[in-house]
Amino acid sequence: MRIFTMALLSMAFIVVASENLHAAVPAPWSIGYRVELLTANGDPANDMMGSGAFLRYAINARDQAEIAFEYVEYDFESPQRALGYARTSGANVEGRTRLNLMSAKLERAWRPAQVLRPFAFLGLSLGYAKLDDVVGEADGQSFDIDAEGGVESVPAGGVGLRCQQARWMVEIGVKIERHLADWTLDDHRTGRVVEVGDYTAWGAWLGAAVRF
């Protein structure tokens, strides 16, 4: 939480200071929506689908600051494996993961006078993961897993390409993010408790916004 607060305060300072350092940018604010499709290595997730709304401020012709509220949902692949079970009986068992995030980003664009503008960003998100409990059978034994998510911090970076007009923009890009997680799995049948830690995800996003 302290790191995220410091990031927001730093962005606010940059925005305020930039007003004295740079000429005004036409329509410096933008508000929009994006969707994303990410993947991981299968432990604990594969396909991750998300979406969210964002608000940006153009610090100058090249740099922007952003805050966003995002929601990501994906399957927790075979959670019983983390507890030492080799395989399940019948269909593969999956638990659902729901992740709500608030993020802060800083971005730099190149060719700011052009309609098509490549850019790169660094960001930090803070969120809460909610996991579904899972019941099933594996190795001839039944399991009843109480899955607890908790707070996650997610540093991220990426590059993209934006088509920017006077009052609107469309963008596409790729990113990589590291989820600093601390999930707990408690098997009520055996009493075994394990923790699932950090994981990396990467993928692409598509977004659109209006400027004002």
Side-chain angles (χ1 to χ4, degrees), residues 74 99 101 125-129 150-154 179-181 183 199:
Y74 51 97
L99 179 60
L101 293 163
S125 301
L126 187 67
Y128 186 84
V151 176
E152 291 189 17
S153 54
V154 187
H179 290 248
L180 306 180
W183 301 353
Y199 59 101

Side-chain angles (χ1 to χ4, degrees), residues 114-138:
Q114 304 297 317
V115 173
L116 291 178
R117 307 178 183 188
F119 63 92
F121 77 86
L122 292 174
L124 178 65
S125 301
L126 187 67
Y128 186 84
K130 180 176 176 55
L131 312 180
D132 287 348
D133 296 339
V134 178
V135 177
E137 292 186 1

Side-chain angles (χ1 to χ4, degrees), residues 17-84:
S18 67
E19 294 181 356
N20 297 321
L21 296 175
H22 304 280
V25 177
W29 293 94
S30 57
I31 185 169
Y33 193 81
R34 62 171 165 256
V35 294
E36 63 182 25
L37 178 60
L38 307 177
T39 188
N41 61 3
D43 186 14
N46 278 325
D47 298 333
M48 305 168 62
M49 297 188 65
S51 61
F54 59 85
L55 177 68
R56 291 193 188 128
Y57 178 79
I59 300 169
N60 53 53
R62 298 181 62 184
D63 302 317
Q64 294 193 95
E66 175 192 289
I67 59 172
F69 296 91
E70 299 173 289
Y71 175 78
V72 183
E73 187 168 334
Y74 51 97
D75 289 332
F76 183 0
E77 302 288 342
S78 301
Q80 73 281 355
R81 292 184 304 183
L83 287 157

